[in-house]
Amino acid sequence: MSGAVSTGGNIRLLDETLAAARAEGRSALIAYLPAGFPTVDGGIAAVKAVFDGGADVVEVGLPHSDPVLDGPVIQTADDIALRGGLKIRDVMRTVREAYAATGKPVLVMTYWNPIDRYGVERFTAELAEAGGAGCILPDLPVQESAQWREHAEKHGLATVFVVAPSSRDERLATITAAGSGFVYAASLMGVTGTRESVGEQAQELVRRTRATTELPVCVGLGVSNARQAREVAGFADGVIVGSAFVQRMLDAEDEAAGLAAVRALAGELADGVRGTA
C-alpha cells in the first residue's frame, strides 16, 4: 500500500526521536492518553497538548471493555470513551490528526482482540496511512505474533512488546529479538513494596533487558511527577507516563482546564527527564 511509503517510514521517525533524546544525554518522555477521552475531539486536543508541553512520543490507547492490564484511572477513561461510542476509525483519526499537527511519533497501544476482529492487514495499513509509528501490544504472545509482525514490517510500523520483572532472561531475549522501536519495561510502582524497592526492580529489569538487545528500553513505572521522572531517567532510555495524565483530565472542571493541566504536567516531566526539575 502506498500510504505506508508516503509517510517516509513510520518507524524511522520513532527511531530518530529516541536516538535524538539519547544524543542529548537524556531519556525520552513518552505519554499515554486513551483515544475518545473525554471525547474524540477532546482526546485529539489532549495529545497535541502533551506534545506542546514537551512529550517526545505519545501512545494513543485503544479503549477496551476488559482492560486487564490497566489500572482504575485508565479504566475510568476507557469507560467514558466506550460509552461515547468510540470506534477504531476514531482511534485512527486521533493518530492522523495528532501526527499531522505535530510531525511527532504517535503509537497505538491496544489489546490484541480488537485488531484480530478488525483484521490485521486492514489495521496495519490504516495505521500506517494515518502516520502512526507502530503499536504496543501488551497481551500478544511473541510466539503468536508472526502474522502481526509480517504486516507491521510491510507497512513500516514498530512492534513494541512488553517485558516484566517476572520475565526470565531467556524469555527476555526471545521478546526483544521479535520487537522493534523500543522495549516497554513494565513495573508497577507501589504494588510490590515500597517505591524504592520497585524502582530497584525496574532498574534491574532494564539492565537484564539491555543485555539482550540494542533497542531502547523504556519504563512504565507509575511515574507521576518530575522527581520520579528524573529518577527513572537515570537508568532508562524512556520514561512512560499514563495514569498521571489521565488523572489530570479526570480532575479538571472542564476540557480547557484539562488541556492546560496535561500540557503543564508534560512540561514538568520533560524537565524531569532532562534533569532540570
Side-chain angles (χ1 to χ4, degrees):
M1 168 171 176
S2 61
V5 176
S6 68
T7 59
N10 308 53
I11 189 174
R12 190 180 310 132
L13 176 62
L14 176 64
D15 291 342
E16 289 170 352
T17 299
L18 294 172
R22 177 179 284 183
E24 291 176 20
R26 65 173 180 90
S27 282
L29 174 59
I30 302 175
Y32 167 94
L33 287 164
F37 169 71
T39 61
V40 176
D41 287 344
I44 292 167
V47 175
K48 293 177 185 177
V50 295
F51 272 134
D52 287 346
D56 298 291
V57 179
V58 171
E59 305 170 6
V60 171
L62 195 162
H64 190 43
S65 55
D66 184 25
V68 290
L69 300 176
D70 295 322
V73 171
I74 290 171
Q75 285 185 30
T76 299
D78 281 2
D79 288 344
I80 291 168
L82 292 168
R83 283 203 306 271
L86 184 86
K87 300 286 188 285
I88 286 181
R89 67 172 175 269
D90 300 313
V91 178
M92 297 298 179
R93 184 184 147 218
T94 301
V95 172
R96 177 180 291 105
E97 295 196 15
Y99 170 70
T102 65
K104 294 181 178 177
V106 183
L107 298 113
V108 169
M109 187 167 189
T110 180
Y111 295 98
W112 179 244
N113 187 256
I115 295 178
D116 198 32
R117 286 206 308 261
Y118 197 72
V120 177
E121 167 59 20
R122 181 183 176 196
F123 189 94
T124 51
E126 289 183 9
L127 181 57
E129 188 275 328
C135 248
I136 300 161
L137 301 160
D139 68 337
L140 177 63
V142 170
Q143 62 271 25
E144 297 172 22
S145 67
Q147 181 193 17
W148 163 267
R149 286 187 286 135
E150 176 190 340
H151 288 291
E153 202 169 311
K154 180 169 79 171
H155 292 293
L157 299 170
T159 297
V160 178
F161 288 114
V162 178
V163 298
S166 57
S167 306
R168 300 188 176 193
D169 290 352
E170 186 180 340
R171 177 81 180 142
L172 286 177
T174 301
I175 294 170
T176 59
S180 56
F182 63 91
V183 182
Y184 189 124
S187 182
L188 296 177
M189 185 178 286
V191 173
T192 55
T194 67
R195 195 184 64 74
E196 287 75 18
S197 71
V198 179
E200 287 165 16
Q201 188 179 43
Q203 191 165 356
E204 176 65 8
L205 176 59
V206 170
R207 185 194 65 75
R208 290 172 53 224
T209 304
R210 279 186 176 146
T212 71
T213 184
E214 294 296 312
L215 289 173
V217 182
C218 304
V219 172
L221 195 86
V223 168
S224 62
N225 61 46
R227 181 179 56 78
Q228 293 168 342
R230 183 174 185 171
E231 180 185 332
V232 176
F235 59 82
D237 298 299
V239 180
I240 302 168
V241 182
S243 295
F245 284 111
V246 176
Q247 190 67 59
R248 293 280 179 109
M249 299 277 286
L250 287 168
D251 290 344
E253 59 187 33
D254 57 34
E255 191 175 306
L259 295 177
V262 294
R263 186 181 294 109
L265 178 59
E268 294 162 21
L269 295 166
D271 288 341
V273 300
R274 286 169 172 79
T276 55

